[in-house]
Amino acid sequence: MRLGRRFFEQNTLDVAQQLLGQYLVREINGKKLIGKITETEAYCGPHDLACHASKGRTPRTEVMFGKAGFSYVYMIYGMYNCLNIVTEKVDSPAAVLIRSLEPVEGIELMKKSRGQNTINNLTTGPGKLCQALSITKEHNNLDATKTSMLYIRKGTHIKPSQIVKKKRIGIDYAGAYKDKLWRFYIKNNNFISQK
DNA sequence: CAAGAGATCATCT
DNA sequence: GATGATCTCTTGA
């Protein structure tokens, strides 16, 4: 019951909100690491100054110009990786950043990878969750509708009334786009990167 | 607690 | 050569 191409081809703001409550599955040697998606951010195409694709088509942003459902993993601040899933049609470069998870399965391995025992500090942040699930540049440009290494499993539907909308984090340089309420998280959930 | 600094390197100019 | 879709640790009240 994984999510397919059609799901990711939708409008980025819709995908970002509908991803809440779904399960991110990472398989390593047949072992599953699973987390419920609790927080996302939408990066909406070439006009969105916070979206990497707004700087044009480059080797790094190439993935976002491709098919929906592919992973876009990049390194930030020289130390952390961030995981996105590409959305919309080919040549419409957009993606959803997965910002936080609620650990569900494989928690011991997550603790080990993070060097942390506090469950609340395992996957509450884009850099943290990549570390917890061992997601690196090797997992860039994978088809999440096909590969067993990384995909989204269907979970529960979160009602619009249960979704909090906030400004995106860490993009103060994005001019008029910095104030867009394109960050989404599940209301009253503890596994959020910041309030 | 909150605020600030430092880590560290791929990417683009 | 500058910068960043982050995180952790230290400092100080």
Side-chain angles (χ1 to χ4, degrees), chain A residues 14-73:
Chain A
D14 291 333
V15 176
Q17 290 170 82
Q18 289 178 35
L19 272 176
L20 297 175
Q22 317 287 353
Y23 295 95
L24 173 64
V25 184
R26 165 90 174 97
E27 262 184 55
I28 306 173
N29 300 326
K31 253 194 162 174
K32 288 190 176 70
L33 297 176
I34 303 178
K36 182 164 95 174
I37 300 174
T38 52
E39 178 183 358
T40 61
E41 276 179 9
Y43 288 87
C44 302
H47 305 296
D48 176 5
L49 294 176
C51 181
H52 291 161
S54 69
K55 286 157 187 95
R57 194 165 186 149
T58 67
R60 180 170 75 153
T61 61
E62 184 66 28
V63 203
M64 279 197 276
F65 287 81
K67 274 197 234 174
F70 276 68
S71 59
Y72 168 40
V73 179

Side-chain angles (χ1 to χ4, degrees), chain A residues 122-173:
Chain A
L122 290 181
T123 52
T124 48
K128 296 185 205 173
L129 72 91
C130 282
Q131 196 173 46
L133 304 197
S134 300
I135 295 169
T136 67
K137 304 197 70 171
E138 296 168 35
H139 307 99
N140 184 41
N141 204 12
L142 293 178
D143 188 347
T145 68
K146 294 267 164 60
T147 180
S148 60
M149 290 196 283
L150 190 68
Y151 56 94
I152 311 291
R153 179 187 286 175
K154 203 173 167 91
T156 54
H157 176 72
I158 306 296
K159 293 190 195 126
S161 63
Q162 296 307 112
I163 298 177
V164 181
K165 304 177 182 182
K166 285 276 169 52
K167 290 180 189 178
R168 292 175 292 179
I169 292 173
I171 52 142
D172 285 349
Y173 59 84

Side-chain angles (χ1 to χ4, degrees), chain A residues 20-23 34-40 98-105 107 110-111 114 117-126 128-129 132 164 169 183-195:
Chain A
L20 297 175
Q22 317 287 353
Y23 295 95
I34 303 178
K36 182 164 95 174
I37 300 174
T38 52
E39 178 183 358
T40 61
I98 312 291
R99 283 196 62 90
S100 290
L101 303 173
E102 177 176 336
V104 172
E105 193 178 313
I107 296 178
M110 293 185 197
K111 285 181 176 172
R114 287 271 301 131
N117 270 315
T118 321
I119 191 140
N120 260 292
N121 198 26
L122 290 181
T123 52
T124 48
K128 296 185 205 173
L129 72 91
V164 181
I169 292 173
R183 169 173 173 242
F184 308 101
Y185 62 83
I186 301 176
K187 192 183 284 184
N188 296 327
N189 188 290
N190 283 321
F191 297 89
I192 301 299
S193 64
Q194 305 179 29
K195 293 291 172 186

Side-chain angles (χ1 to χ4, degrees), chain A residues 65-99:
Chain A
F65 287 81
K67 274 197 234 174
F70 276 68
S71 59
Y72 168 40
V73 179
Y74 68 95
M75 174 163 275
I76 186 67
Y77 298 111
M79 333 185 69
Y80 299 100
N81 291 293
C82 292
L83 169 69
N84 299 252
I85 306 292
V86 174
T87 58
E88 304 191 19
K89 304 231 172 66
V90 168
D91 288 330
S92 178
V96 172
L97 170 69
I98 312 291
R99 283 196 62 90

